[in-house]
Amino acid sequence: MTPVACAVHFALCTWQVVTRGWVLAADERLGHRIRNSAFPEGLAEFLADAGGMLVGPVLLAALIVWQWWAARRRGGTPYWWALPLTTGIAMALVPPLVSLAKVLTDRPGPPTLGGSGFFPSGHAATACVAFGACVLLLRGAAASPRLWWWLVGACVVFNAGVGYGLVRRGYHWPLDVVASWALGVFLLWGAVTAARVLLRRRGGAEAP
């Protein structure tokens, strides 16, 4: 149900933006409230910047390289590359998909920036996929399932902070961020599903 829910959610958000639906009025009111909140601007800027291409994607690339090195050191773990490959592809799909949606929707930005093409948020989608992929890749390295679920929780909280920071600094509307999360989770689901298919076709190795 997760991929279907994400796809439907993203489609509904896009439909509201394109048709200037009733949700946008509430969305913009919420955006104004968050921008005028007492949340520290410096922390908000830090969180917003954490969604940039020089943070999460670089961390993901470093983790993939580390897993490659670890696999070689162990003498070649069978098909270790399946999930790193598919999560890397998911990360590479974020910029073109977000850019296409921005062109098709052409949503006006918050008053602090003006202009158009703000839906969905590239920073929120980048953080969601990059940090989510890192957590997926660390599943096998986690000392216990409990520790891995702590990593999942930290990833969710961190992404929520990135989204809040983007709205607090006036870079996006809340709906831009929420739609990006749906897109990001859908891409991560696709990466895990594709990795499982690769593993089954190449000898039945343990799926992630």
Side-chain angles (χ1 to χ4, degrees):
M1 286 298 294
T2 298
V4 175
C6 289
V8 170
H9 180 80
F10 185 81
L12 288 175
C13 291
T14 304
W15 168 61
Q16 284 292 298
V17 170
V18 170
T19 61
R20 296 294 301 174
W22 62 272
V23 171
L24 291 196
D27 178 50
E28 292 173 4
R29 285 197 299 271
L30 178 60
H32 287 304
R33 287 184 180 180
I34 292 175
R35 280 195 300 278
N36 294 324
S37 69
F39 192 85
E41 288 192 8
L43 179 57
E45 184 68 30
F46 170 80
L47 291 169
D49 289 343
M53 291 297 293
L54 296 178
V55 185
V58 173
L59 180 62
L60 176 59
L63 184 56
I64 291 174
V65 170
W66 173 77
Q67 292 203 335
W68 169 80
W69 175 81
R72 283 178 58 89
R73 188 178 182 185
R74 289 193 299 265
T77 302
Y79 314 117
W80 68 269
W81 47 264
L83 190 58
L85 173 64
T86 57
T87 52
I89 292 173
M91 188 70 256
L93 286 174
V94 170
L97 290 176
V98 169
S99 297
L100 178 62
K102 287 178 180 289
V103 170
L104 294 177
T105 56
D106 198 34
R107 185 182 189 185
T112 51
L113 294 180
S116 59
F118 284 79
F119 177 92
S121 167
H123 276 60
T126 297
C128 180
V129 174
F131 292 108
C134 287
V135 171
L136 289 172
L137 293 178
L138 288 171
R139 185 171 186 177
S144 67
R146 184 176 182 180
L147 174 61
W148 187 75
W149 281 111
W150 272 104
L151 291 175
V152 172
C155 181
V156 171
V157 171
F158 183 75
N159 272 280
V162 170
Y164 193 91
L166 289 167
V167 179
R168 173 67 177 87
R169 293 295 293 137
Y171 298 143
H172 280 286
W173 300 107
L175 196 67
D176 305 341
V177 171
V178 173
S180 294
W181 289 339
L183 176 62
V185 172
F186 183 85
L187 288 173
L188 290 173
W189 169 85
V192 171
T193 302
R196 287 174 174 169
V197 171
L198 285 171
L199 291 173
R200 282 197 297 266
R201 289 184 176 180
R202 291 182 173 268
E206 185 178 353

